Amino acid sequence: QVQLVESGGGLVQTGGSLRLSCAASGRTLSTYVMGWFRQPPGKEREFVAGIKWDGSRVHYSDSVKGRFTISNDNAKSTVYLQMNSLKPEDTAVYYCGADATPYSSALFVDAREYDYWGQGTQVTVSS
């Protein structure tokens, strides 16, 4: 079993930055694909960014490309999402997910492909 805990959310003005963290316990993340998703109010959960277990490949949604950066620190079993130039439309609950297929190269954008989830952290961007 893997437990994921997100942190780093908060209230920020348009143009500001936040750094989200996703810490794992119970099992190392070093062999898992990790993804960040978000769920705006009244909408479905959507893909934001994904990273291959060894950090060699990343993928972003078009809406965040160039503004957000995903990274991992396997020694700390932690995945990060650096969010810059935030916009009001980035307001959502942000979740990290783990695809528990060991050493996978597939960076899925479908939330159903992920096996473990954190509880989420709220990000609110004011205009």
Side-chain angles (χ1 to χ4, degrees), residues 86-122:
L86 283 162
K87 306 175 182 179
E89 50 263 45
D90 295 318
T91 295
V93 178
Y94 283 71
Y95 299 90
C96 69
D99 172 3
T101 304
Y103 304 110
S104 173
S105 295
L107 299 183
F108 294 112
V109 300
D110 188 338
R112 294 172 294 181
E113 299 290 345
Y114 290 77
D115 304 288
Y116 301 105
W117 292 95
Q119 82 292 345
T121 185
Q122 176 70 48

Side-chain angles (χ1 to χ4, degrees), residues 15-16 40 46 52 55 81 101 104 108 111 113 120 124 127:
E46 62 184 27
K52 188 180 171 184
L81 185 69
T101 304
S104 173
F108 294 112
E113 299 290 345
T124 303
S127 57

Side-chain angles (χ1 to χ4, degrees), residues 2 20-21 24 28 48 56-57 80 86 110 113 115 117 122:
V2 174
L20 305 184
S21 299
T28 179
V48 174
S56 65
R57 183 166 164 243
Y80 305 96
L86 283 162
D110 188 338
E113 299 290 345
D115 304 288
W117 292 95
Q122 176 70 48

Side-chain angles (χ1 to χ4, degrees), residues 1-7 21-29 32 34 76-79 96-98 100 115-120:
Q1 278 287 352
V2 174
Q3 293 80 43
L4 303 176
V5 179
E6 301 96 337
S7 61
S21 299
C22 172
S25 61
R27 187 172 293 181
T28 179
L29 297 180
Y32 294 168
M34 297 297 297
K76 296 182 178 180
S77 285
T78 301
V79 178
C96 69
D115 304 288
Y116 301 105
W117 292 95
Q119 82 292 345

Side-chain angles (χ1 to χ4, degrees), residues 30-104:
S30 62
T31 64
Y32 294 168
V33 164
M34 297 297 297
W36 282 99
F37 287 72
R38 66 187 182 187
Q39 188 162 13
K43 297 185 179 181
E44 295 186 352
R45 193 170 298 191
E46 62 184 27
F47 173 80
V48 174
I51 187 166
K52 188 180 171 184
W53 55 273
D54 60 357
S56 65
R57 183 166 164 243
V58 296
H59 180 59
Y60 299 96
S61 68
D62 289 342
S63 61
V64 308
K65 198 173 295 182
R67 300 188 296 122
F68 291 11
T69 302
I70 188 172
S71 61
N72 62 354
D73 185 338
N74 285 334
K76 296 182 178 180
S77 285
T78 301
V79 178
Y80 305 96
L81 185 69
Q82 178 66 43
M83 306 187 296
N84 299 328
S85 302
L86 283 162
K87 306 175 182 179
E89 50 263 45
D90 295 318
T91 295
V93 178
Y94 283 71
Y95 299 90
C96 69
D99 172 3
T101 304
Y103 304 110
S104 173

